[in-house]
Amino acid sequence: MIFLGAMALPLLASAQAAVTETPANLEWHKNLYGLYMSANGLWMGSSAGGTHLYNIETGESYEFANSLLGIGQPVANNGWALGSIDSQRAVLHIDGQTIYPESLKLYVFTSLDGITPDATRACGFVSNNEKNGPDNLPIVCNISADGVVGEPIFLPVPEKDFFGLTPEGVLPRWISDDGKTLLGEFRDWTGRYIVPIVYFEEEDGSWSYYLPSEPLFNPNHLEFGVNPYATEPPAPEVYDYMDPVKRAAYLADYEIWAANNYIDDLYPDPTDYMTEEQIMEYNLAVEEHNAWEDDPEIQEEIKEYNKVFTEIQRTSPNFHQSEMAIQPQGQFIAASSTKLGQNLEDIPSIYRFDLQGDRDYKVYPSPYPNLIPNSITDDGTIFIATSLADGEDETVTNSYVLSPGSSEFVPFVEYIADSYPEVAEWIEINFLATAGVVSSNRDQTVFYGALQLNNFLTTNGAEDFSKSTYVFSDTVELSGIESIAAENADGIYRVYNLQGVKILETRDSAALSSLPSGIYIINGKKILK
């Protein structure tokens, strides 16, 4: 996927734009599988032949082989990044070091995908070791100041999916700034029908969930009767036919095989742990189970059920894997979906759900395919990227902005033209009037319809996929300590250095004057003292 990345901080009245190309040695920018940015715009991350992290201000960079970044919001303001090794084991990358969370080593498969900007909480999922119920169990973990990932807090999972069967599981990937609202993917029993699920942390520390798209399911209220799969006898498990000692040995070897990415050399052949009599008993049980599915009456029930199942899927929005976003304060979420029209062609749409009040939603049918909501700002503005071209030239990507109260997909270049006409002109010249956007903006980013940007990255729309990456930066506000003190809303001044490390939190505005000369980020604004 070829994207342009965006990071937002408040627009400065006297801002001037500058566009510079990133260092040529950062080859991982040019063929991007995924591009991420920290909430403060200082750190860039990419999964392309391994995990890569780059500090835009200092030029500091790290590479981690055999690692992939998390799917949701994997990079914190201090440069800590969530990832996984061989897509099996969750890791935390800190200052060039890879840490395997001890608290998650009990599970065959672990994934951490979203981290708060202050790196104190992460969300993700683990495999179900009990092998009953959902395959994947959603978790949230607290992270200490020295990078220790705490014990997983297991989140509740709906007992049944929309079709009345045990779901595959829940995959939380996105997290609000305070870590108290999570957005994830709720997957049906097949793993192919996906809807958004939102978790809220209650005052007593417990968690509840909400399925915002539930009213959109099965709009024609079709009755699909008794699900024949619900009456299916459980399939025999081979280890149930082993002696206790052999069973324990087999399961232990199976876990080793799984932990090593299922390589052939470690495959535990179950027949090596069984007697001939046990093998015969197991094979007989398999035959009896298969006979249930081969029964003509069962086959007819399955046929009728699948007919209704298909029609419900055709009329209900099916949301896309990894294509959602959560507003920093946790009020709005955005998600992309498709459903099949009468002619069986995909109808793409972008949804914006309001999680407060009446929990309303808006749906925006898209004239373009392959749109991915990358971020949603404080006022509900959605920034959208394309994963593939929407024109004849597949090397050209574009991006769009959906503003509140409008259903128009405004091209990104047009959206920023009023605020930064020189940048819009530069993009038009260098990117054939198009630009793709991955927006990791987490603070207020819209000011009377003008995009408020600190940094964003672009990929060159040339005739091949060897892209160049650029950084656009506005200037900092001069002598801005006094204005910050005057504008402060909640009475707390949070001061970060350019590496994203918090160096001061105080209610005393006078303490700001004692800061050494330099550039700081104070309550979301970049300030020169």
Side-chain angles (χ1 to χ4, degrees):
M1 292 186 287
I2 308 301
F3 298 134
L4 167 153
M7 175 57 214
L9 289 178
L11 180 67
L12 307 178
S14 59
Q16 295 182 353
V19 182
T20 56
E21 188 168 4
T22 55
N25 64 319
L26 297 180
E27 293 293 329
W28 51 271
H29 286 258
K30 297 185 177 181
N31 290 287
L32 301 179
Y33 170 77
L35 177 65
Y36 304 90
M37 295 190 73
S38 62
N40 58 3
L42 297 181
W43 288 90
M44 229 168 33
S46 172
S47 290
T51 289
H52 307 266
L53 296 171
Y54 171 63
N55 188 301
I56 294 171
E57 296 283 354
T58 66
E60 179 184 8
S61 64
Y62 300 114
E63 296 186 13
F64 305 90
N66 302 319
S67 171
L68 292 176
L69 282 175
I71 297 296
Q73 300 152 208
V75 185
N77 285 345
N78 59 2
W80 292 8
L82 302 173
S84 62
I85 296 294
D86 295 327
S87 300
Q88 291 289 324
R89 298 286 184 177
V91 295
L92 183 61
H93 300 306
I94 300 178
D95 300 331
Q97 302 297 315
T98 296
I99 297 175
Y100 295 81
E102 290 286 342
S103 58
L104 301 181
K105 285 189 174 180
L106 294 176
Y107 304 95
V108 176
F109 179 86
T110 59
S111 178
L112 293 175
D113 292 300
I115 190 170
T116 55
D118 63 3
T120 60
R121 177 167 279 186
C123 64
F125 60 95
V126 299
S127 56
N128 186 350
N129 284 353
E130 299 300 321
K131 301 186 184 300
N132 58 8
D135 293 336
N136 302 311
L137 302 176
I139 62 168
V140 63
C141 299
N142 294 318
I143 304 176
S144 67
D146 56 357
V148 175
V149 177
E151 291 296 323
I153 301 170
F154 287 90
L155 307 176
V157 180
E159 292 185 5
K160 302 295 182 181
D161 63 13
F162 289 150
F163 303 101
L165 289 176
T166 301
E168 183 184 88
V170 175
L171 283 59
R173 300 193 187 278
W174 301 269
I175 189 167
S176 63
D177 281 2
D178 63 5
K180 295 184 177 182
T181 305
L182 311 178
L183 170 62
E185 304 167 5
F186 177 48
R187 300 187 174 193
D188 79 333
W189 64 286
T190 67
R192 296 189 297 271
Y193 185 77
I194 299 172
V195 297
I197 184 171
V198 181
Y199 285 95
F200 305 99
E201 185 179 21
E202 308 295 344
E203 292 185 1
D204 62 0
S206 62
W207 289 83
S208 61
Y209 64 80
Y210 164 55
L211 296 167
S213 68
E214 188 169 9
L216 304 171
F217 176 75
N218 192 10
N220 297 328
H221 307 289
L222 299 178
E223 295 287 342
F224 44 78
V226 177
N227 187 334
Y229 296 103
T231 64
E232 180 180 3
E237 296 284 1
V238 67
Y239 49 74
D240 288 336
Y241 294 82
M242 299 175 184
D243 295 330
V245 174
K246 291 290 187 180
R247 171 177 174 158
Y250 170 76
L251 291 178
D253 291 342
Y254 185 94
E255 299 296 343
I256 294 174
W257 177 53
N260 286 273
N261 208 24
Y262 304 98
I263 61 175
D264 292 341
D265 291 346
L266 295 178
Y267 170 70
D269 187 339
T271 60
D272 293 339
Y273 303 78
M274 305 167 69
T275 65
E276 290 188 6
E277 183 179 356
Q278 290 168 340
I279 295 173
M280 292 178 60
E281 290 177 357
Y282 170 73
N283 289 337
L284 180 61
V286 171
E287 291 179 6
E288 292 175 351
H289 181 269
N290 292 342
W292 173 88
E293 188 170 311
D294 294 335
D295 184 283
E297 291 186 6
I298 297 296
Q299 285 291 322
E300 186 63 26
E301 290 179 7
I302 291 176
K303 178 181 177 180
E304 291 301 314
Y305 176 82
N306 285 341
K307 184 189 300 183
V308 180
F309 179 86
T310 301
E311 179 62 14
I312 291 175
Q313 284 196 313
R314 187 186 70 79
T315 56
S316 305
N318 188 2
F319 291 84
H320 298 164
Q321 175 182 344
S322 308
E323 296 183 8
M324 302 181 191
I326 188 170
Q327 181 243 18
Q329 307 308 319
Q331 177 180 353
F332 299 105
I333 63 171
S336 62
S337 77
T338 55
K339 62 182 179 181
L340 293 176
Q342 293 293 342
N343 57 1
L344 301 184
E345 292 182 358
D346 287 345
I347 301 175
S349 296
I350 299 292
Y351 286 78
R352 176 172 51 216
F353 296 94
D354 189 337
L355 306 180
Q356 298 181 0
D358 294 334
R359 290 183 168 175
D360 195 10
Y361 70 91
K362 299 289 184 182
V363 57
Y364 304 92
S366 170
Y368 312 106
N370 307 313
L371 295 187
I372 302 173
N374 294 118
S375 69
I376 182 166
T377 66
D378 288 351
D379 70 343
T381 298
I382 305 173
F383 291 87
I384 305 163
T386 54
S387 59
L388 294 173
D390 52 36
E392 294 182 359
D393 185 351
E394 292 189 359
T395 65
V396 178
T397 60
N398 208 341
S399 61
Y400 305 90
V401 181
L402 269 174
S403 299
S406 173
S407 59
E408 182 181 2
F409 288 75
V410 178
F412 177 72
V413 176
E414 293 182 17
Y415 185 78
I416 68 167
D418 290 340
S419 302
Y420 297 110
E422 71 278 18
V423 176
E425 181 180 0
W426 182 86
I427 292 177
E428 288 182 359
I429 294 173
N430 291 275
F431 298 107
L432 309 180
T434 67
V437 56
V438 166
S439 174
S440 297
N441 33 2
R442 307 287 294 157
D443 295 314
Q444 180 73 26
T445 59
V446 177
F447 179 74
Y448 298 113
L451 185 65
Q452 301 177 1
L453 294 175
N454 179 32
N455 300 300
F456 72 82
L457 309 173
T458 62
T459 55
N460 192 345
E463 293 183 357
D464 58 54
F465 284 100
S466 179
K467 309 295 183 178
S468 296
T469 304
Y470 296 82
V471 176
F472 159 66
S473 299
D474 58 30
T475 58
V476 299
E477 185 171 358
L478 302 178
S479 303
I481 294 295
E482 293 78 8
S483 64
I484 284 289
E487 296 172 5
N488 189 35
D490 64 1
I492 301 176
Y493 304 96
R494 301 171 180 86
V495 183
Y496 295 82
N497 63 20
L498 291 182
Q499 285 68 50
V501 178
K502 183 187 289 186
I503 60 175
L504 178 64
E505 182 170 320
T506 179
R507 292 182 179 273
D508 182 8
S509 61
L512 302 180
S513 300
S514 65
L515 291 169
S517 297
I519 299 176
Y520 302 92
I521 297 174
I522 305 177
N523 290 0
K525 287 189 176 182
K526 188 186 279 186
I527 301 297
L528 174 65
K529 180 180 183 296

